[in-house]
Amino acid sequence: MDAMSTVTTLQSSTDVLFLMLGAVMVFAMHAGFAFLEVGTVRKKNQVNAFVKIITDWSVSTILYFLIGFPLAYGISFLKPAGDIMANQGYDLVHYFFLLCFAACIPAIISGGIAERAKFWPQVAAGAIFAAITYPLFESLIWGKNASLLQDFFKSVGGAEFHDYAGSVVVHSIGGWLALPAVLILGPRMGRYVRTKSHPIPVSNIPFLALGSWILAVGWFGFNVMSAGHLDKISGLVAVNSLMAMIGGVLAALVAGKNDPGFVHNGALAGLIAVCAGSDIMHPLGAFATGCIAAVIFVYGFHIEQEKLRIDDVLGVWPLHGIIGSWGGIAAGIFGLKGLGGMGGVSFVSQLLGSLAAIIFALASSFIVYGVLSKTVGIRLNEDEEFAGADLSIHSIGAYPEEHVR
C-alpha cells in the first residue's frame, strides 16, 4: 500500500511539474506580446504598451483565480490551503496554466487599440473579459458546461467541436473581441485623411522580431502542455506546431514580399492556426494550415487597413480573429483521415463552433465597449494622443533622458 501511494504521489508530482513548466513557458509569451506591440507602435507609446500588458496580466490573475476559473471549471480556491493541495496541488497549477490562456485576451486586444486608448477603461474591459466573458465560452468548450454546446455540435455534425489548444477558444475570441473596440475607438490621428491612407511606420523592427521569437518559443508550452498530464504528451503536437510555424514564415515571406513585419507575424499566424488541430493533423497538413494562415494575414491585413480602413495597429483581428477561426475550420479539414489526419473530427462541427465564437465575441465586445464609451469614454483626447500615451498616462517616455533639459 505504501508503494502504491508513493507511485501515485510521484505521478501527481510529475504532472504538476509538467504543467507548471508549460505555464511558465506560456507566461513568458506575455513578454512576447509586449515586445511585439512595443516594436510596432511609435516611440511615444512604448511605455504604455509595457505597462498595459503587465497590468492586464496582474488583474487577470486575481480575477481568474476568484471568478473565471471557478466559472469555467467549477473549482473554487476559497477554502483552507490544506484543502486545495489534493494531488500535490494539481488544480492550482492547472489554474496557473489556464490563466496564461485567459490573460492572452486583453493582451491580444491591447495591440489593436494601441496609441489612442485610455488606460483604466481598457483595464476594466480586460478584467470583464478575463473574469466573465472568456471563462463563459471556455466552460462551453473545455469546462463544466461543455455538454450544453458540444452535444449540439455532435448531433448536427457527428462529432464534438475540437479545439485542442485554443485556436478558437483563445485566439479567435481575443481577435473578435478586439474588433468592436477598434471600430468604436476609430483610427489614430492622421491615419486616414479624407480619401487618403497614411500608413504609420513601426518604430523598432528588432523589438518586433524579438516579440515574435519569444511568442514562438513559448508556443510549444501553449500547445504541447495542453495535454495536461505527462503520460498524454504528444510528439505529434510538437512537430505540427513547428511545421505550421515555418509554413507561416515561408508563405508570408513570399506573399509579403520579404516584409519583416509580415514574416515575423507569419510565424504567429501559423502557430495560431494549428492550435486547434495540432493533435490530429499530419505534419504536412499542419504545414499547409500554416501556409494558408500566413496568406490570410498578409492579404487580410491589407484589406482591413486599406479597403475597410480599420486602424487595427497590430492587425489583431486578421491575425488572431480570422486566423483563429481558420484554425478551427482547418482542424475539420486536415484532421480528417482522408487527408492524413487522425480522424474523429467533423468539418460541420468545426465550422459551427468557429461561427459560435465569432457571434459570442462580437456581441460581448460591443456591449462592454459600447457601455464604457458612453460612460467613462475609451479614447484619449487629441492633445493626449498627440503627446503620446507614455507622457499623457505615465508621465515618462521610453527614453527619459531625452526629456531632460
Side-chain angles (χ1 to χ4, degrees):
M1 198 67 179
D2 288 340
M4 183 64 71
S5 177
T6 300
V7 170
T8 300
T9 300
L10 183 60
Q11 182 176 358
S12 297
S13 299
T14 55
D15 285 341
V16 167
L17 178 61
F18 172 71
L19 205 53
M20 189 274 289
L21 292 174
V24 171
M25 291 179 72
V26 186
F27 175 34
M29 290 174 68
H30 289 265
F33 280 118
F35 276 99
L36 193 71
E37 182 173 336
V38 167
T40 304
V41 300
R42 286 167 289 185
K43 190 168 68 171
K44 63 183 180 179
N45 296 300
Q46 291 179 333
V47 169
N48 181 243
F50 279 128
V51 177
K52 273 192 302 179
I53 298 294
I54 198 166
T55 301
D56 285 336
W57 164 265
S58 301
V59 172
S60 296
T61 297
I62 189 65
L63 291 180
Y64 193 70
F65 182 88
L66 294 173
I67 303 171
F69 189 75
L71 181 61
Y73 299 97
I75 299 172
S76 173
F77 299 120
L78 298 181
K79 57 186 73 171
D83 295 341
I84 58 177
M85 267 299 290
N87 298 320
Q88 309 302 114
Y90 181 84
D91 286 340
L92 287 167
V93 78
H94 194 208
Y95 145 77
F96 182 14
F97 182 72
L98 292 173
L99 157 69
C100 297
F101 285 43
C104 286
I105 302 300
I108 290 169
I109 296 170
S110 177
I113 64 171
E115 301 204 285
R116 76 275 202 203
K118 287 184 176 180
F119 183 78
W120 287 112
Q122 175 51 28
V123 171
I128 294 168
F129 296 144
I132 301 171
T133 307
Y134 171 79
L136 277 176
F137 193 79
E138 182 183 19
S139 76
L140 294 170
I141 303 300
W142 294 336
K144 66 177 183 178
N145 298 315
S147 61
L148 297 176
L149 203 53
Q150 293 287 21
D151 287 350
F152 168 73
F153 293 141
K154 190 171 184 178
S155 66
V156 175
E160 292 185 349
F161 176 69
H162 186 88
D163 190 4
Y164 184 73
S167 287
V168 173
V169 175
V170 180
H171 297 284
S172 177
I173 288 290
W176 286 96
L177 282 173
L179 179 59
V182 173
L183 293 174
I184 292 171
L185 272 170
R188 289 167 290 175
M189 294 168 55
R191 179 63 181 89
Y192 304 105
V193 180
R194 297 185 180 89
T195 60
K196 292 186 177 181
S197 169
H198 297 272
I200 297 173
V202 302
S203 64
N204 193 310
I205 294 294
F207 275 0
L208 186 157
L210 176 62
S212 175
W213 273 107
I214 294 172
L215 282 163
V217 172
W219 223 291
F220 289 87
F222 198 100
N223 286 2
V224 175
M225 270 70 163
S226 285
H229 299 273
L230 186 60
D231 63 351
K232 294 180 181 178
I233 193 170
S234 168
L236 183 64
V237 173
V239 172
N240 280 345
S241 301
L242 176 65
M243 295 296 280
M245 174 193 162
I246 61 104
V249 169
L250 296 176
L253 184 68
V254 175
K257 301 178 180 178
N258 300 332
D259 182 276
F262 283 135
V263 169
H264 286 91
N265 277 288
L268 307 182
L271 287 162
I272 289 166
V274 82
C275 287
S278 57
D279 64 324
I280 57 173
M281 293 179 180
H282 185 278
L284 293 179
F287 177 78
T289 297
C291 288
I292 294 169
V295 172
I296 290 173
F297 178 67
V298 171
Y299 290 101
F301 184 80
H302 177 75
I303 291 170
E304 177 192 41
Q305 300 283 326
E306 304 303 327
K307 303 297 183 183
L308 301 178
R309 301 202 168 205
I310 298 173
D311 188 18
D312 172 2
V313 181
L314 269 67
V316 299
W317 174 44
L319 182 62
H320 294 273
I322 297 174
I323 291 172
S325 299
W326 157 241
I329 295 168
I333 300 173
F334 294 106
L336 299 173
K337 287 187 176 181
L339 290 175
M342 300 283 286
V345 69
S346 159
F347 175 79
V348 173
S349 296
Q350 294 306 115
L351 178 61
L352 290 175
S354 299
L355 290 175
I358 293 171
I359 295 169
F360 177 81
L362 286 177
S364 301
S365 186
F366 271 116
I367 291 171
V368 171
Y369 284 108
V371 170
L372 288 171
S373 178
K374 296 297 184 182
T375 53
V376 297
I378 60 174
R379 180 159 182 159
L380 298 173
N381 64 43
E382 289 189 1
D383 290 340
E384 291 170 333
E385 184 178 342
F386 181 79
D390 292 359
L391 295 180
S392 298
I393 297 173
H394 309 287
S395 301
I396 193 169
Y399 305 91
E401 65 182 356
E402 293 183 358
H403 303 288
V404 176
R405 295 291 185 266

